[in-house]
Amino acid sequence: MPTMEIDGKKVSFEGKKMIMQVAQDNGIEIPAYCYHPGLSIVASCRICLGEIESPDPKDPTKLVRVPKLMPTCQTPAVDGMKVYTKSPKSRANQKAVMEFLLINHPLDCPVCDQAGECYLQDYSFKYGRGESRFEEDKAKNPKKDVGNHILLYADRCIMCTRCVRFTREVSGTSELAVFGRGHKEEIDIFPGKPVNNPLASNVIDLCPVGALLDKDFLFTQRVWFLKSSPSISPVSSQGENIYIHHNQGRIYRIKPRFNQGINKWWISDETRYGFEFVHAADRLRVPERLQFGSSTEISWDAAILHADEDLRGAVKAGGGLACILSPFDSTEEMFLQIKCVRSIDPQAWIAMTPVRIDGQDIVLKNPQTGAVTYTVKAEKAPNRKGAEKMMAHFGGNICTLGELHEKVKNKKVTAALLSSDPFPAAHVADYRQVLTGIQTLIRLGTRGGAVYERSTLSLPVCTWAEKSGVFENFEGRIQAFVQAIPPLDETRSAGSIFWELLGNNGPYDVRTVRGLMVAAGLNDYGNVAIPEGELKVEEMQFAAL
Amino acid sequence: MAFNGPILLKRIPDEASQRKLIRYDDYVASGGYKAYNQALAMKPEDIINVVKDSGLRGRGGAGFPCGVKWTFLPKDIFPRYLAVNYDESEPCTFKDRYLCEYDPHVLLEGIAIAGIANRISASYIFIRGEYHTQAKILEEALKEAYEKGIFGKAYPGTDIVHHCYVHRGAGAYICGEETGLLEALEGKRGWPRIKPPFPAVAGAFAKPTIINNVETLACLPYIVENGAAAFKAMGTPTSSGPKLMGVSGHVNKPGVYEEELGIPMGKLIEKYAGGVKGKYKAAFHGGISMGVLGTNQYDAPLDFDIGKAFGVLGLGTACVTVMNESTDMVKVARNCVRFYAHESCGQCTPCREGSAWAYKMLNRICDGRGKAKDLDLLLEIGLAQGIMPGTTICGLADGTNWVIKTILQKFPEEFKAKIKAESVQGVDVTVGGVKV
C-alpha cells in the first residue's frame, strides 16, 4: 500500500486520492473552505496550500521539492510524497488568506447564527494573525432572501462557492450562481427563481461561514448551547441519518449525519423541517378514558389496568382482538405490541395503518454526469419495512385495514390496540370506516383527531425524538436512533406501555427488547449500534463551474 | 542576427494614409496562401518539426515553444480544437489588432497551417469583445477564405473537415487567460480552470485543444515557406524570429513596428518611434503584467530572457509603453492595480481580496493619507499573490504582484514623498525591510 508523510505523520492510502482526502481519512487537519468531499474540486480558497516534496521520476529515492505552494485539495497523493502544511511558508499563506478573507467580512459574530460553528472563527484562532492591518473601508454586500428557508448574508460570504456547486452538482437545479467579479462579486439567485428544491437547505450546512442562514433557526439559539443526538429521519422511508440538535427539551434543528450508503452528506428538506409535530401545541399529554359518555383524565396506573381489562374483557365476551401497527413506531415497539395482543388473543388480527405515498420518488441527478445524486422517497413513513417484518415473523391472522373493516362489521373483532399516529390525512375516511363499530378502541397517539375522538382509551405517547429504537428503511437497513429529549409531560413511549401490559417489571429498555427479539429468532437485531456510516470517499470529479 | 524588413507586416505600409484592408485577391497576389498550399503537400509531423526547429515561441506573453505545445496533444484522440487567442486585453498591447485589422488573411493562413499540422476539426478565433470593427473584418475575410476553400474542406487523405469560427468575447481581461478563454468559449463564466487536466488533453468542450496567440499563428506561413533556418536567423538563440512591438506612451511616433527579438528597447524607440518625448523615466515593456523597467534599464534587450536580467516577470507582449519624467509612478501603480482589482475574476481569495485592498491603499497614499508602515504592507500583499508563489490558479495575480513589486522597488522615493510628512517624522520608511 502506498504511503506518504503529512506533517511528519506517516500515513497510507489506496487508489487515486488527493492529499486533502488522505489527510482527512487519517484525522490530520488541513484547513479548507472550498473543499468538500461531496462536491467537485475548485481549489479556489487557497488556504489548504502546502509545501510538497515528491519523488523524482528519474530517481525515486530522491525527493524533489516543488518550488511553489501546492493546493493539497487538488494535488494527487503519490507514494513516498512528503507534505508540509505547518512549514513557515505554508503558515504564512494561511495567515495571508485568513487576513484576506476577513478584510471585507463584517466581523459581526455577536449577532451571527454561525458563531460557534464557524470556520472563519476556528481558523482565525488556529491560523489567523489575531489583529487586522486593514485600514480601508470594507466592501458591503446586501442581505438577501433566496428561498423559503434560506437567507443569504452576502457581506459574510467568503466565495467558497460550495453552495453554487451543490445546486449544480447534487440537487441539479442550478439556482445559485456567482454574479459580478472581483471583490464585489456575490452569490445570488436569478430573478424569480428561489432556492426551493427538495434538498435546498443543505446549502446552509455547506456554508462554512454565516452567509447562508436558516430562517427556521434564525436567532433562536446560540449553537454552543445545543446538544447533538444521532437519529434517523422520522418522516421518510429513505432512512436518512440525522443529528437532532436540542437544548432543554426542545429541538432546534436537524442536521445531516454522513452515511455513504443512504444520504451521504445531505438530507432532504422534509426531514430537516419535519420535526414540528414534536412541539405541536395540541400534543396529548395525559391518558384519557371514556367514562359514562365523556372522556376523563386518568392516571397511567389506571390506564394500564383499564387497557388490560378492556382487552381481556372483549375476548371473554366472545369477541376478537385487532392489533394495528403504526409505521412510525420503532420495530421493538411493534414486536411488543403484537406480542402483547397475541398473548391475550392468539387469534388476534394484525394490520398496519396505511402509508402515505406522495406521488413518485424524486430522483435528483447531476446534469453534467447524469449520475443519480439523491432520491427523495415518495413513501412517507420511516418503518413500514419493520412492520412488515414483524407481521411476517408472528404470522397467523394478518390482514389489511379493508379486510379488518369486514371483520369489525361481522363482529369478529370487537376491540383493538391501535398505534395510530401520525396517520395520513388521505386515509382518515378509511380509518373512520374501519373503526366504526369497534367497541373497545385503545389508541396510542401523540395528537388528537378523528381517531382520538372515537377511542375508548387514549394513551398519549411520545415522538421518535423522545425515545430510542430502530427504524428499517425502504431497503431493509436496520438503523438505530437514540432518545434526544425527555418525553413531554406525562407521555410515555409506546414500547413502555406494551412492556407494562405484558406484565414485565422494570423499565422498558430497547436493548432488553432486542435481546428478546434475538431469542425469538430475529437475529438481525442482535447487534444494532448507532450507525456512523462507512466513510468511503468516492473518486473526485474535477470540475466545472 | 539578420532582420531585413518586415515579415508579418510586409503588406501593411508604414504610411498611415496608404494602409488599406488586404482582401483575399491582394493577399494571394502578394504571395499569400503559398505556404498553405505547401503545407497541404507536407506530412503533419513534418510541419510540426519545422515549427519546432524554428524555435517559435508563443507571442502571447508566456513564450512557450509553439511546436512543443502541439506535441502535447494525445495521439489518436479526435476531434481536436484550436483556440486562437485574439482577446488581446493586456493594457498597452495592440499588435494583433493592428495586424488583423489590415491583413486578416495572414492569421487565417496560419490557422489553416496549424490545422493541417494537428488535424484540427474546428478553430475558434476568440476575439476581444471591444474589437467590433476587427471582428467584422475578420468575419468577412473568413467568408472569403471559406469561398476559396481554405476552410470547410477535408484535409488530404482524411475525412477531417476543418471549420473556423469567430467567437466574440464579452469584455473581460481574464478571458485572455487560456483556460478562462476556454470557459468563456463554452459559454460559461470566464473562470480559469485548475490544471490538470491540461487543455491539450481536455480543453474546449473537454476535447484536446491547442491555444495559440494570433501573432504566433501569423508566423507560421513564413516558417513553412522559408524554413526553420530562415526564421531562426532572426533574433537571439533562445528567442528567434521577428516580433510585433507596439510602442505607445511618451514617444514621438507611437505605433506597431516589427523587429527581431533581442533588439534593445532604446533602439526600438529611437529607430521607429521617433524617440522619447522628454526624458525617459520608466517603461512597461510588455504590457503592465510584466512589471516596469526602471530608469537605468532603457537599453534592455527585448527577448524572452529579459525577466531574470532586468527584474521583471518576462517579455510579455513586447508592446512598450514609455513614461517620461512627468509621470507619477505612484499613480501609475494605482492605475495598474485598479485594473487588476476590477478585472480579478474573484475565484481565488488572494487575488480577489488582495488586489482590491492594494488598490484602496494606493488610493489613500495618492490622496496624501499614506502611513509609514503602508509600503511594507503593500509589498507583502503584492508578494502574496500569483502562480509564482502558488497562491492563485492563474497568472492574473502575478500581474498585480509584479506591478506592485517592481514599481515599489524601483521607485520607492516617490512613494515616500507621497506619504504624510508627520507620519514619516522620526520613523524609517521601509520597503520589504529595506530603508527608503
Side-chain angles (χ1 to χ4, degrees), chain A residues 424-467:
Chain A
H427 297 283
V428 169
D430 298 350
Y431 254 113
R432 278 208 177 122
Q433 214 185 6
V434 172
L435 300 168
T436 306
I438 222 159
Q439 285 159 8
T440 308
L441 180 59
I442 299 167
R443 184 259 183 175
L444 292 79
T446 58
R447 291 160 86 172
V451 182
Y452 161 70
E453 280 153 18
R454 261 156 222 274
S455 56
T456 51
L457 182 63
S458 161
L459 304 175
V461 292
C462 58
T463 61
W464 108 107
E466 297 152 312
K467 65 189 180 191

Coordinates of all heavy atoms in Angstrom, one line a residue, chain A residues 424-467:
Chain A
P424 N -51.9 9.4 7.8 CA -52.1 10.2 6.6 C -53.5 10.7 6.4 O -54.4 10.0 6.5 CB -51.7 9.3 5.5 CG -51.6 7.9 6.0 CD -51.6 8.0 7.5
A425 N -53.5 12.0 6.1 CA -54.8 12.7 6.0 C -55.7 12.0 4.9 O -56.9 11.9 5.1 CB -54.6 14.1 5.6
A426 N -55.1 11.5 3.9 CA -55.8 10.9 2.8 C -56.6 9.7 3.2 O -57.5 9.2 2.6 CB -54.9 10.6 1.6
H427 N -56.2 9.1 4.3 CA -56.8 7.8 4.7 C -57.7 7.9 6.0 O -58.1 6.9 6.5 CB -55.7 6.8 5.0 CG -54.8 6.5 3.8 ND1 -55.3 5.6 2.8 CD2 -53.6 6.9 3.4 CE1 -54.4 5.5 1.9 NE2 -53.4 6.3 2.2
V428 N -57.9 9.2 6.4 CA -58.8 9.4 7.6 C -60.1 8.7 7.4 O -60.7 8.0 8.3 CB -58.9 10.9 7.9 CG1 -60.0 11.1 8.9 CG2 -57.6 11.4 8.4
A429 N -60.7 8.9 6.2 CA -62.0 8.3 5.9 C -62.0 6.8 6.1 O -62.9 6.2 6.7 CB -62.5 8.7 4.5
D430 N -61.0 6.1 5.5 CA -60.8 4.7 5.7 C -60.9 4.3 7.1 O -61.5 3.4 7.6 CB -59.5 4.2 5.1 CG -59.4 4.5 3.6 OD1 -60.5 4.9 3.1 OD2 -58.3 4.3 3.1
Y431 N -60.1 5.0 7.9 CA -60.0 4.8 9.3 C -61.3 4.8 10.0 O -61.7 3.9 10.8 CB -59.1 5.9 9.9 CG -57.7 5.5 10.3 CD1 -56.7 6.0 9.6 CD2 -57.5 4.6 11.3 CE1 -55.4 5.7 9.9 CE2 -56.3 4.2 11.6 CZ -55.2 4.8 10.9 OH -53.9 4.4 11.3
R432 N -62.0 5.9 9.7 CA -63.3 6.1 10.4 C -64.2 4.9 10.1 O -64.8 4.3 11.0 CB -64.0 7.3 9.8 CG -63.5 8.6 10.4 CD -64.6 9.6 10.3 NE -64.2 10.8 11.0 CZ -64.1 12.0 10.4 NH1 -64.5 12.1 9.2 NH2 -63.7 13.0 11.1
Q433 N -64.1 4.5 8.8 CA -65.0 3.3 8.4 C -64.6 2.1 9.2 O -65.4 1.4 9.7 CB -64.7 3.1 6.9 CG -65.9 2.7 6.2 CD -65.6 2.4 4.8 OE1 -64.4 2.4 4.3 NE2 -66.6 2.0 4.0
V434 N -63.3 1.8 9.2 CA -62.8 0.6 9.9 C -63.2 0.6 11.4 O -63.6 -0.4 11.9 CB -61.3 0.5 9.8 CG1 -60.7 -0.6 10.6 CG2 -60.9 0.4 8.3
L435 N -63.0 1.8 12.0 CA -63.1 1.8 13.4 C -64.6 2.0 13.9 O -64.9 1.9 15.1 CB -62.2 2.9 14.0 CG -60.8 2.7 13.6 CD1 -59.9 3.9 13.9 CD2 -60.2 1.4 14.3
T436 N -65.4 2.4 12.9 CA -66.9 2.5 13.3 C -67.3 1.1 13.7 O -67.1 0.1 13.0 CB -67.7 3.0 12.1 OG1 -67.1 4.2 11.7 CG2 -69.1 3.3 12.5
G437 N -68.0 1.0 14.8 CA -68.5 -0.3 15.2 C -67.6 -1.1 16.1 O -68.0 -2.1 16.7
I438 N -66.4 -0.6 16.2 CA -65.5 -1.3 17.2 C -65.9 -0.9 18.6 O -66.2 0.3 18.8 CB -64.0 -1.0 16.8 CG1 -63.2 -2.3 17.0 CG2 -63.4 0.0 17.7 CD1 -61.9 -2.3 16.2
Q439 N -66.0 -1.8 19.5 CA -66.5 -1.4 20.8 C -65.4 -0.8 21.7 O -65.6 0.2 22.3 CB -67.1 -2.7 21.5 CG -68.4 -3.0 20.9 CD -68.8 -4.4 21.1 OE1 -68.2 -5.1 21.9 NE2 -69.9 -4.9 20.5
T440 N -64.3 -1.5 21.7 CA -63.2 -1.0 22.6 C -62.0 -0.6 21.7 O -61.5 -1.4 21.0 CB -62.7 -2.2 23.5 OG1 -63.9 -2.7 24.2 CG2 -61.7 -1.7 24.5
L441 N -61.7 0.6 21.8 CA -60.6 1.1 20.9 C -59.5 1.8 21.9 O -59.7 2.8 22.4 CB -61.1 2.2 19.9 CG -60.0 2.7 19.0 CD1 -59.3 1.6 18.2 CD2 -60.6 3.8 18.0
I442 N -58.4 1.0 22.0 CA -57.3 1.6 22.8 C -56.3 2.2 21.9 O -55.7 1.5 21.1 CB -56.7 0.5 23.7 CG1 -57.7 -0.1 24.6 CG2 -55.5 1.0 24.5 CD1 -57.3 -1.3 25.3
R443 N -56.2 3.4 22.0 CA -55.4 4.2 20.9 C -54.2 4.9 21.5 O -54.3 5.6 22.5 CB -56.4 5.1 20.3 CG -55.8 5.9 19.1 CD -55.4 7.3 19.5 NE -54.9 8.0 18.4 CZ -54.6 9.3 18.4 NH1 -54.7 10.0 19.5 NH2 -54.1 9.9 17.4
L444 N -53.1 4.6 20.9 CA -51.9 5.3 21.3 C -51.6 6.4 20.3 O -51.5 6.0 19.1 CB -50.7 4.3 21.4 CG -50.7 3.3 22.5 CD1 -51.6 2.1 22.1 CD2 -49.3 2.8 22.8
G445 N -51.4 7.6 20.7 CA -51.1 8.6 19.7 C -50.5 9.8 20.3 O -50.5 10.0 21.6
T446 N -50.0 10.7 19.5 CA -49.4 11.9 20.0 C -50.3 13.1 20.0 O -50.2 14.0 20.7 CB -48.1 12.3 19.2 OG1 -48.5 12.4 17.8 CG2 -47.0 11.2 19.3
R447 N -51.2 13.1 19.0 CA -52.1 14.2 18.8 C -53.5 13.7 18.7 O -53.8 12.6 18.3 CB -51.7 15.0 17.6 CG -50.4 15.7 17.8 CD -49.7 16.1 16.5 NE -50.2 17.4 16.1 CZ -49.7 18.1 15.1 NH1 -48.7 17.5 14.4 NH2 -50.2 19.2 14.7
G448 N -54.5 14.7 18.8 CA -55.9 14.4 18.7 C -56.3 14.2 17.3 O -55.5 14.1 16.4
G449 N -57.6 14.2 17.0 CA -58.1 14.0 15.7 C -59.2 13.0 15.6 O -59.8 12.6 16.7
A450 N -59.6 12.6 14.4 CA -60.8 11.8 14.3 C -60.7 10.4 15.0 O -61.6 10.0 15.7 CB -61.0 11.5 12.8
V451 N -59.5 9.8 15.0 CA -59.4 8.5 15.7 C -59.4 8.7 17.2 O -60.0 7.9 17.9 CB -58.0 7.9 15.2 CG1 -57.9 6.5 15.9 CG2 -58.0 7.8 13.7
Y452 N -58.7 9.8 17.6 CA -58.7 10.1 19.1 C -60.1 10.2 19.6 O -60.5 9.7 20.7 CB -57.9 11.4 19.3 CG -58.1 12.1 20.6 CD1 -57.7 11.5 21.8 CD2 -58.8 13.3 20.6 CE1 -57.9 12.2 23.0 CE2 -59.0 14.0 21.8 CZ -58.5 13.4 23.0 OH -58.7 14.1 24.2
E453 N -61.0 10.9 18.8 CA -62.3 11.1 19.3 C -63.1 9.8 19.4 O -64.1 9.7 20.2 CB -63.1 12.1 18.3 CG -62.7 13.5 18.6 CD -62.8 14.4 17.3 OE1 -63.5 14.0 16.4 OE2 -62.2 15.5 17.3
R454 N -62.8 8.8 18.7 CA -63.5 7.6 18.7 C -63.0 6.6 19.8 O -63.5 5.5 20.0 CB -63.4 6.9 17.4 CG -64.6 7.1 16.5 CD -64.2 6.9 15.1 NE -64.9 8.0 14.3 CZ -66.1 7.8 13.8 NH1 -66.8 6.7 14.0 NH2 -66.7 8.8 13.2
S455 N -61.8 6.9 20.3 CA -61.1 5.9 21.2 C -61.8 5.9 22.6 O -62.3 6.9 23.1 CB -59.7 6.3 21.4 OG -59.6 7.6 21.9
T456 N -61.9 4.7 23.1 CA -62.4 4.5 24.5 C -61.3 4.7 25.5 O -61.6 5.1 26.6 CB -63.0 3.1 24.6 OG1 -62.0 2.1 24.2 CG2 -64.2 2.9 23.8
L457 N -60.1 4.5 25.1 CA -59.0 4.8 26.0 C -57.9 5.4 25.1 O -57.4 4.8 24.2 CB -58.5 3.5 26.6 CG -57.3 3.6 27.6 CD1 -57.7 4.4 28.9 CD2 -56.9 2.2 28.1
S458 N -57.5 6.6 25.5 CA -56.4 7.3 24.8 C -55.1 7.3 25.6 O -55.1 7.8 26.7 CB -56.9 8.7 24.4 OG -55.8 9.5 24.1
L459 N -54.1 6.8 25.0 CA -52.8 6.8 25.7 C -51.8 7.7 25.0 O -51.4 7.4 23.9 CB -52.3 5.3 25.8 CG -53.2 4.3 26.4 CD1 -52.6 2.9 26.3 CD2 -53.4 4.6 27.9
P460 N -51.5 8.8 25.6 CA -50.5 9.7 24.9 C -49.1 9.2 24.9 O -48.6 8.8 25.9 CB -50.6 11.0 25.8 CG -51.0 10.5 27.1 CD -51.8 9.3 27.0
V461 N -48.6 9.1 23.7 CA -47.2 8.6 23.6 C -46.3 9.7 23.1 O -46.7 10.7 22.7 CB -47.1 7.4 22.6 CG1 -47.9 6.2 23.2 CG2 -47.7 7.7 21.3
C462 N -45.0 9.4 23.2 CA -44.0 10.4 22.8 C -43.6 10.1 21.4 O -43.8 9.1 20.8 CB -42.8 10.4 23.8 SG -42.0 8.8 23.9
T463 N -42.9 11.1 20.9 CA -42.4 11.1 19.5 C -41.1 10.3 19.4 O -40.5 10.0 20.4 CB -42.3 12.5 18.9 OG1 -41.3 13.1 19.7 CG2 -43.6 13.2 18.9
W464 N -40.6 10.2 18.2 CA -39.3 9.4 18.0 C -38.2 10.1 18.7 O -37.2 9.4 19.1 CB -39.1 9.3 16.5 CG -38.0 10.1 15.9 CD1 -36.8 9.6 15.4 CD2 -38.0 11.5 15.6 NE1 -36.1 10.7 14.9 CE2 -36.8 11.8 15.0 CE3 -38.9 12.5 15.8 CZ2 -36.5 13.1 14.6 CZ3 -38.6 13.8 15.4 CH2 -37.4 14.1 14.9
A465 N -38.2 11.4 18.8 CA -37.1 12.1 19.4 C -37.0 11.9 20.9 O -36.0 12.1 21.5 CB -37.2 13.6 19.1
E466 N -38.1 11.4 21.5 CA -38.2 11.3 22.9 C -38.0 9.8 23.3 O -38.2 9.5 24.5 CB -39.6 11.8 23.4 CG -39.8 13.3 23.1 CD -41.2 13.7 23.0 OE1 -41.9 13.0 22.2 OE2 -41.6 14.6 23.6
K467 N -37.6 9.0 22.4 CA -37.4 7.6 22.7 C -36.3 7.0 21.9 O -35.8 7.7 21.0 CB -38.7 6.8 22.5 CG -39.1 6.7 21.1 CD -40.5 6.1 20.9 CE -40.9 6.1 19.4 NZ -42.3 5.7 19.3

